Amino acid sequence: MMCKKLPMFFLMVVCIFTLGISFASASGFSISNVSRAKHDILHKGRNFVVKAAAFGATGNGTDQTRTLQSALNYLERVGGGKLVLGKGTFLLSLAKSIHDKACIIIPAGVTVEGSGMGVTILKRISSERKQNGILLVNKGYDTKGEYKAAGNITLRDFTITDGDVTSKPRTYGDLIALGHTDNVLVERVQSLNHDQHFVDICGSRNVTVRDSISNNLQNTYGTATIQIDRAKNLGIWGLLLDGTNPKNVTIENNKITSMSELVLQLGHDQSTAESLNVVSNMITAANANKGQMAIGKDEDTSISTVNIKDNQIKLNNENSIGINLATDTANRLDNISISGNVITGKMRTDTFIDSAVASTDFKDILYSLLIDLSSGMKVLY
């Protein structure tokens, strides 16, 4: 009896399995589709796009700190993606932040994309104009050392500012601060007044700032537009100070106007900066009342493998210097290439290099170009 029922039972199982496969196929599911769905879930963050307005961040000129952070936190939960900001002004504050030193915390794998420079504006709230605080910073900059804080970040297509010029600026707080990060792109971002820096690159690697516009009228000590720094002593406010040095930084095709003493700072506070490219930037040192350095560094820093090429620099004070690479007895300049730079206006000198130790391998320095506007003569050094 059992022998007769077994074939019938087997036939029923085959029929059920066949019907199941047919139903799954009709419903759009298959073994391959299930695998593909699992793959999409695991990797959806790479192409996941959300609009800030969906979280209530409408750019209506009010404090948008919490709504923007909520959108960023959501992207972090789904594994990353793009946050699209609409038109308008998004005010940022410490008062409503999840962090005590920064308004907005950006997680790993996230792109923040505005609707264009001058169209989307991120601005410090006026009631905190004199209060210390960073506007945008990568997550973990203050807790994770080496290059292990949040990375793979892109910031593009918006304007960012501290607000109007003030006689009592903050002591600490950049517009964009990058600490212990790896792989960050800042492009097509306009910065206006900043009490500290437009971008502070501190103990980070593989960072590019390109195609951006900066116009800083805040005439305050220590307001370099872009600063490359070590994770030591005078780093970003709240930074984990583990001594990590910056490397692989590109500053390219930016248009910068500044009143600050130093505009592009290639090394700060005993750092050793490695593999730097400063190429095709237009820099106007706009302060006619005091000397400025367009491209320079602190004397207590070393730089290695640096390409300073095809920059156009305009100076406006007889004590100003176009490119200044002075170094004290404890530091070095190695594998430095300076070529094709056009330096015009009133100045002390176009390029100044001084090292008290045996630095090595300078390239192409003789091709730096000075145009003396007073006589109309061109002199090659």
Side-chain angles (χ1 to χ4, degrees):
M1 190 71 178
M2 292 293 294
C3 292
K4 292 182 179 180
K5 288 185 178 180
L6 184 59
M8 183 63 69
F9 176 77
F10 179 77
L11 181 60
M12 290 174 63
V13 170
V14 170
C15 291
I16 292 170
F17 181 79
T18 303
L19 288 171
I21 291 295
S22 300
F23 177 78
S25 298
S27 302
F29 288 93
S30 68
I31 294 174
S32 60
N33 283 338
V34 170
S35 298
R36 188 179 302 114
K38 182 177 180 181
H39 179 275
D40 290 344
I41 290 171
L42 291 174
H43 297 280
K44 67 180 180 180
R46 295 180 181 178
N47 300 306
F48 207 86
V49 179
V50 298
K51 293 184 178 181
F55 291 81
T58 59
N60 62 0
T62 62
D63 194 326
Q64 307 283 284
T65 306
R66 290 180 179 173
T67 51
L68 287 177
Q69 193 63 61
S70 293
L72 290 168
N73 292 346
Y74 173 76
L75 285 176
E76 182 178 26
R77 289 195 298 272
V78 299
K82 181 189 293 186
L83 175 63
V84 179
L85 307 181
K87 299 178 181 179
T89 299
F90 299 76
L91 299 183
L92 306 178
S93 73
L94 274 178
K96 296 184 179 180
S97 176
I98 61 174
H99 198 280
D100 64 346
K101 291 182 173 61
C103 299
I104 296 292
I105 308 300
I106 303 173
V110 167
T111 293
V112 178
E113 182 175 288
S115 299
M117 293 185 287
V119 179
T120 299
I121 301 170
L122 302 180
K123 184 179 180 181
R124 186 180 303 276
I125 196 166
S126 59
S127 61
E128 295 182 2
R129 182 65 185 85
K130 300 176 182 178
Q131 182 177 342
N132 290 334
I134 304 164
L135 262 68
L136 308 180
V137 69
N138 62 305
K139 186 174 182 178
Y141 85 102
D142 49 352
T143 58
K144 296 183 178 181
E146 299 178 350
Y147 308 107
K148 296 181 180 179
N152 299 319
I153 291 169
T154 297
L155 307 172
R156 62 161 67 103
D157 296 327
F158 57 82
T159 293
I160 188 167
T161 180
D162 270 335
D164 296 334
V165 172
T166 178
S167 59
K168 295 181 178 180
R170 295 181 330 283
T171 304
Y172 300 108
D174 309 300
L175 299 184
I176 298 172
L178 304 172
H180 298 295
T181 188
D182 187 1
N183 190 26
V184 174
L185 172 62
V186 179
E187 66 177 354
R188 299 190 302 274
V189 174
Q190 179 188 38
S191 67
L192 301 178
N193 297 325
H194 45 86
D195 291 350
Q196 286 295 300
H197 311 292
F198 162 37
V199 182
D200 193 343
I201 303 165
C202 199
S204 297
R205 67 183 178 188
N206 301 320
V207 177
T208 297
V209 182
R210 69 186 182 199
D211 302 328
S212 294
I213 299 173
S214 182
N215 187 14
N216 183 33
L217 301 180
Q218 186 70 48
N219 181 10
T220 310
Y221 177 78
T223 59
T225 298
I226 300 174
Q227 178 175 272
I228 301 173
D229 198 2
R230 181 185 184 186
K232 183 179 175 65
N233 296 336
L234 301 175
I236 299 165
W237 193 34
L239 182 75
L240 178 65
L241 301 176
D242 68 340
T244 303
N245 277 299
K247 60 174 62 177
N248 300 334
V249 177
T250 295
I251 303 170
E252 182 177 21
N253 200 37
N254 302 287
K255 186 176 181 180
I256 301 170
T257 300
S258 176
M259 298 287 285
S260 181
E261 261 183 74
L262 178 53
V263 182
L264 295 185
Q265 190 168 15
L266 306 186
H268 179 52
D269 190 36
Q270 304 173 30
S271 62
T272 298
E274 179 183 346
S275 298
L276 310 180
N277 284 286
V278 184
V279 180
S280 300
N281 300 284
M282 296 179 62
I283 303 172
T284 300
N287 200 326
N289 297 319
K290 69 178 183 181
Q292 295 177 271
M293 288 185 288
I295 300 173
K297 69 179 194 65
D298 292 354
E299 292 186 3
D300 64 351
T301 63
S302 296
I303 55 175
S304 174
T305 311
V306 180
N307 183 31
I308 303 174
K309 182 179 180 181
D310 295 338
N311 299 285
Q312 297 184 44
I313 299 171
K314 183 177 181 180
L315 305 172
N316 285 284
N317 185 278
E318 60 185 8
N319 292 315
S320 291
I321 301 173
I323 301 170
N324 184 12
L325 302 182
T327 302
D328 65 19
T329 57
N331 290 277
R332 298 176 62 86
L333 307 172
D334 293 311
N335 194 23
I336 311 297
S337 177
I338 304 174
S339 63
N341 302 288
V342 178
I343 305 173
T344 66
K346 296 180 180 179
M347 69 191 76
R348 177 182 174 187
T349 185
D350 65 332
T351 303
F352 181 74
I353 298 171
D354 177 40
S355 178
V357 297
S359 298
T360 62
D361 201 11
F362 286 90
K363 300 177 181 179
D364 303 328
I365 292 175
L366 293 179
Y367 296 101
S368 191
L369 175 63
L370 163 67
I371 301 178
D372 186 345
L373 294 182
S374 62
S375 63
M377 296 176 62
K378 296 182 179 180
V379 184
L380 286 174
Y381 285 86

